[in-house]
Amino acid sequence: MNRGPSWFNIVSMVVGFAFLYLPIVLLVIYSFNAGRNVAVWEGWSTRWYVELMSNDQLLAAAWVTIRVALLSATIATILGTMAALALVRGGLFYGRSLFSGMVYAPLVMPDVITGLSLLLLFVAVGFSRGFWTITMAHITFSMCFVAVVVQSRLISFDKSLEEAAMDLGAPPMKAFFAVTLPIIAPAVAAGWMLAFTLSLDDLVIASFTTGPGATTLPIKIYSAVRLGVSPEINAVCTILIGIVTIGVIAASLSMKRKEVRRRRDERMAAAANAA
Amino acid sequence: MAKQALGPIRRSFAPWDDPEAKPLIHFRGVTKRYGDFTAVDGIDLPIYEREFHALLGPSGCGKTTLMRMLAGFEEPTEGDVLLDGASLKGVPPYRRPVNMMFQSYALFPHMSVEKNVAFGLKQDGMAKSEIADRVAEMLTLVRLQDFAKRKPHQLSGGQRQRVALARSLAKKPRVLLLDEPLGALDKKLREATQFELTDLQVDLGMTFLIVTHDQEEAMTVADRIAVMDQGVIRQVATPAEIYEQPASRYVADFIGDINILEGRLEKGANGISRLVVPEDGLVVETDQPVESDAQNAWYAIRPEKLRVSLDQPADIAVNTVSGEIWDIAYLGDVSIYHVKLDNGTIMRATTANTTRLVERPISWDDRVWLTWDRNAGVVLTS
Ligand SMILES: Nc1ncnc2c1ncn2[C@@H]1O[C@H](COP(=O)(O)OP(=O)(O)OP(=O)(O)O)[C@@H](O)[C@H]1O
Ligand SMILES: [Mg+2]
């Protein structure tokens, strides 16, 4: 009956993927262009990558970005996980549904508004803007994403596991770290990854909350491009794409490996029981 | 061999009859409310050292809630739970010397079987070598020594159940709480495990409190059964007493099959009283002492206490009724007869099939007589 994908399906798939990936492929190819003019192909070369290595400004921006992303993702994961725990486990405290709803608000809030409001706050409080204000801003908005991811895992978490740990003599904190956390770890890790990438590619909020001496890579690229696209920028982007791709592939491979191992274990158990 | 030696000891085990005996656990006037819903309503229940006690009742009657108050996961709204005479009020679950085997087993999925069993011992700060010994001992006890390195998802349901049991026994708790421990097992395995549990309890000399809604399970494993209904205890007694001398129609009906006749009680001479079913003058005689005369009462008699015969018995003076066979269920070991009495009441009678009946002598629409002894049934006033 099923005669495989129809022509229509094939065409729409090709068009869809082309739309998604053609610009990226172009960017990657042009990062290896020997000439300076981004619109004219002049042969293969890794020249721009070499030049990139001596572009201190760009490297500094990359370093700032990575530090902000690592720090904000880690703190956001801790705070977001705590928020999720409070929302799922806190019992029916007063105003809980209001809080649950409010966790979602920053997810749909336009970045411009988040950025602007944070800027106003920092100005009002009198913080000098720079590395720490960007980090704080990123913690604020990525924490909500972490909370949502972890919350959905916690809802399906069998609470009797934690009770069993306490029943066996573990105080609540110990029970959390010995039992709950290892079990929800994949969700927490996914939350961290999400927070990390959100921070990595944020332009809008970072530009609102940044100050002198703390230029992130997206800000740097954006301002560089406004002066004209340079092949160096293509090279930076290609490296970023490479990192993200490797990350995604590694994550999905390890998930797949775990899944395969689990299946094999279950088959073994079934066989052992049948015998 | 050892089991036989323990037989007489067990039969004489009845600390609840000893007014001097101090209960190990004492629920005293325990009430638990959730909002305006009362899940447990003023329960008084002493449980003694080395007792295998069952909480039996229909779903939602508050069994788990009562047990969780002992484990420390819920605090009573009113009343108190005592252990060794001391109140457990405010003692968190991780400081109570009781362990629980959860209905869902609650095995830690990220730990191997041995790590699961060792978990509680580690919390006590026991030495590593000692932990290893105890874990090995426990796994041998539940016959899982070859599965120490497996993860819970690599085990069958029955094996998981045994890991959960080993884990909750490892700390040698004062009381082991079992919440429907065998609910997820198939019938055969469940029955085998029931006997294993009783053996284990006797061998270890521990106190077990089991929650179940399966009356056969409660009868098989327990020294005493507390029959619960909507948050209250209806009767606490040994399985035999519960079965033979139920305190109320609720208990009689909940445990096993029973015929109940409603009528008026008439106190008679020589300690023999009569229950008269008003509509048709059916009279039941009983030698059970009754307190008051001329009150409404029920007569409850188990189907296996009724004798079924095709011929009219010679002595028809006492407890004889006749009717037609309405339905027959042949179960192999026993046959159940539904007899429609002349007044329309249906009574159930079971007879053991002691001979191999190729042709059943009693058949549909046969006229039969049911007879029973004066002491075969009980008079109930509630
Ligand atoms: N946390 C709670 N909040 C509100 N009501 C509850 C709570 N826990 C239990 N109940 C109610 O208390 C009653 C008794 O519950 P419990 O779990 O003790 O029943 P059970 O006898 O163990 O039943 P089952 O055999 O189905 O396990 C139920 O009606 C249940 O809905
Ligand atoms: Mg229950």
Side-chain angles (χ1 to χ4, degrees):
Chain A
M1 293 302 259
N2 194 340
R3 275 171 286 124
S6 69
W7 275 108
F8 178 76
N9 285 349
I10 292 173
V11 169
S12 45
M13 208 175 76
V14 168
V15 171
F17 274 98
F19 205 74
L20 278 175
Y21 285 98
L22 205 58
I24 295 177
V25 171
L26 269 180
L27 186 147
V28 172
I29 290 173
Y30 271 98
S31 75
F32 292 101
N33 192 357
R36 170 161 287 280
N37 192 329
V38 283
V40 186
W41 182 255
E42 291 178 25
W44 293 96
S45 148
T46 53
R47 165 181 165 203
W48 302 112
Y49 288 87
V50 177
E51 267 183 34
L52 181 64
M53 288 305 127
S54 53
N55 186 335
D56 290 339
Q57 277 188 357
L58 219 52
L59 286 180
W63 181 227
V64 168
T65 308
I66 288 172
R67 265 163 45 217
V68 169
L70 284 175
L71 192 63
S72 70
T74 306
I75 297 176
T77 303
I78 295 169
L79 293 178
T81 305
M82 279 161 62
L85 277 168
L87 288 173
V88 176
R89 293 291 173 73
L92 290 164
F93 60 84
Y94 188 73
R96 175 181 139 155
S97 46
L98 181 68
F99 277 108
S100 301
M102 273 163 68
V103 163
Y104 288 90
L107 267 60
V108 291
M109 189 82 77
D111 282 356
V112 183
I113 294 176
T114 311
L116 185 61
S117 57
L118 283 164
L119 174 64
L120 290 177
L121 175 76
F122 291 141
V123 170
V125 176
F127 269 160
S128 62
R129 273 163 291 131
F131 176 83
W132 289 107
T133 47
I134 301 180
T135 308
M136 268 192 280
H138 281 184
I139 292 170
T140 315
F141 87 98
S142 55
M143 184 184 111
C144 302
F145 288 84
V146 177
V148 168
V149 171
V150 175
Q151 197 180 3
S152 69
R153 176 66 188 89
L154 273 177
I155 286 169
S156 65
F157 181 85
D158 180 6
K159 189 145 193 293
S160 61
L161 288 170
E162 225 168 67
E163 287 182 345
M166 284 202 261
D167 185 63
L168 291 165
M173 270 304 208
K174 189 89 187 286
F176 175 77
F177 283 107
V179 173
T180 314
L181 193 57
I183 296 172
I184 64 164
V188 174
W192 188 89
M193 281 294 278
L194 192 60
F196 185 77
T197 48
L198 281 171
S199 167
L200 212 57
D201 68 21
D202 166 64
L203 170 65
V204 178
I205 293 172
S207 2
F208 273 104
T209 52
T210 188
T215 308
T216 65
L217 202 54
I219 298 177
K220 185 82 204 160
I221 293 173
Y222 184 68
S223 54
V225 167
R226 282 203 306 184
L227 304 174
V229 182
S230 85
E232 246 174 323
I233 297 294
N234 286 352
V236 174
C237 293
T238 304
I239 291 173
L240 274 180
I241 292 167
I243 291 171
V244 171
T245 311
I246 289 169
V248 169
I249 290 175
S252 66
L253 272 185
S254 92
M255 294 268 271
K256 186 127 198 156
R257 267 239 316 271
K258 264 199 199 127
E259 179 65 23
V260 167
R261 199 160 53 212
R262 201 177 58 85
R263 288 245 182 84
R264 196 196 55 207
D265 286 347
E266 267 164 18
R267 261 204 316 279
M268 256 170 48
N273 296 329
Chain B
M1 297 300 118
K3 298 289 128 52
Q4 263 166 6
L6 285 162
I9 297 171
R10 278 202 82 68
R11 225 166 293 135
S12 66
F13 176 76
W16 44 88
D17 289 334
D18 176 5
E20 296 289 294
K22 291 263 175 296
L24 175 65
I25 305 159
H26 203 157
F27 292 96
R28 273 223 297 237
V30 172
T31 296
K32 177 74 193 177
R33 287 194 202 93
Y34 296 107
D36 36 0
F37 175 77
T38 309
V40 169
D41 194 359
I43 281 188
D44 279 298
L45 179 66
I47 296 171
Y48 295 86
E49 182 107 48
R50 289 166 169 265
E51 182 180 346
F52 202 140
H53 193 98
L55 295 174
L56 176 64
S59 186
C61 69
K63 307 179 295 284
T64 302
T65 308
L66 190 65
M67 180 175 268
R68 287 171 61 85
M69 285 192 278
L70 178 53
F73 297 122
E74 313 278 355
E75 280 291 329
T77 318
E78 280 162 31
D80 208 352
V81 185
L82 309 181
L83 184 89
D84 281 328
S87 169
L88 286 174
K89 198 166 273 169
V91 181
Y94 48 93
R95 296 233 182 78
R96 298 192 181 196
V98 298
N99 284 138
M100 180 153 170
M101 187 184 146
F102 286 79
Q103 195 162 359
S104 58
Y105 306 152
L107 297 178
F108 306 133
H110 57 298
M111 295 184 196
S112 64
V113 166
E114 58 181 3
K115 290 255 169 60
N116 263 282
V117 177
F119 188 88
L121 305 171
K122 244 189 232 161
Q123 308 308 316
D124 284 356
M126 202 187 242
K128 269 222 169 74
S129 60
E130 218 176 320
I131 291 182
D133 290 347
R134 180 75 70 82
V135 169
E137 180 195 337
M138 286 299 142
L139 290 181
T140 314
L141 193 67
V142 296
R143 288 177 283 107
L144 282 177
Q145 51 290 37
D146 301 337
F147 296 83
K149 299 275 185 258
R150 292 236 192 143
K151 291 272 183 69
H153 65 85
Q154 297 167 291
L155 300 174
S156 72
Q159 291 164 342
R160 273 178 224 176
Q161 185 264 341
R162 270 147 51 207
V163 177
L165 184 62
R167 189 179 69 177
S168 52
L169 280 172
K171 292 182 79 171
K172 310 223 157 125
R174 297 297 310 277
V175 189
L176 178 67
L177 309 178
L178 304 134
D179 190 359
E180 310 234 1
L182 314 178
L185 306 182
D186 64 60
K187 193 167 189 299
K188 254 211 152 89
L189 191 54
R190 195 161 67 217
E191 281 168 6
T193 316
Q194 284 165 7
F195 285 105
E196 282 177 25
L197 270 183
T198 41
D199 287 352
L200 205 63
Q201 190 258 347
V202 172
D203 292 347
L204 298 173
M206 278 171 58
T207 311
F208 280 23
L209 176 61
I210 190 173
V211 157
T212 176
H213 59 243
D214 177 349
Q215 47 118 346
E216 267 177 51
E217 184 166 296
M219 303 273 286
T220 310
V221 300
D223 294 314
R224 276 196 314 162
I225 299 175
V227 180
M228 288 183 68
D229 174 33
Q230 296 182 2
V232 298
I233 291 187
R234 292 305 196 93
Q235 187 173 9
V236 188
T238 62
E241 278 168 356
I242 294 254
Y243 190 78
E244 305 290 355
Q245 290 146 36
S248 62
R249 279 177 298 151
Y250 177 84
V251 176
D253 212 26
F254 193 76
I255 311 274
D257 202 3
I258 201 151
N259 297 296
I260 295 180
L261 301 168
E262 186 175 357
R264 282 195 82 68
L265 206 55
E266 291 174 4
K267 209 164 178 169
N270 309 333
I272 292 174
S273 304
R274 289 141 46 98
L275 183 102
V276 182
V277 183
E279 296 96 56
D280 52 5
L282 179 68
V283 175
V284 178
E285 279 196 5
T286 172
D287 54 7
Q288 186 180 331
V290 293
E291 284 117 47
S292 59
D293 196 22
Q295 70 174 73
N296 211 40
W298 293 268
Y299 186 75
I301 183 159
R302 302 272 177 205
E304 74 276 8
K305 306 275 198 293
L306 298 173
R307 285 184 295 270
V308 187
S309 62
L310 281 167
D311 314 310
Q312 186 164 355
D315 169 25
I316 59 162
V318 166
N319 296 343
T320 303
V321 293
S322 71
E324 276 175 6
I325 295 287
W326 187 252
D327 211 347
I328 305 175
Y330 174 72
L331 301 184
D333 50 350
V334 295
S335 293
I336 304 174
Y337 300 102
H338 288 207
V339 180
K340 189 174 189 186
L341 303 188
D342 300 335
N343 65 7
T345 313
I346 306 256
M347 282 186 89
R348 289 181 305 281
T350 51
T351 53
N353 295 324
T354 46
T355 52
R356 202 169 140 258
L357 302 174
V358 182
E359 259 180 81
R360 279 194 299 275
I362 300 177
S363 172
W364 276 267
D365 295 335
D366 277 349
R367 184 145 201 92
V368 292
W369 274 262
L370 300 176
T371 55
W372 63 94
D373 299 335
R374 283 202 185 100
N375 61 4
V378 285
V379 175
L380 305 172
T381 51
S382 64

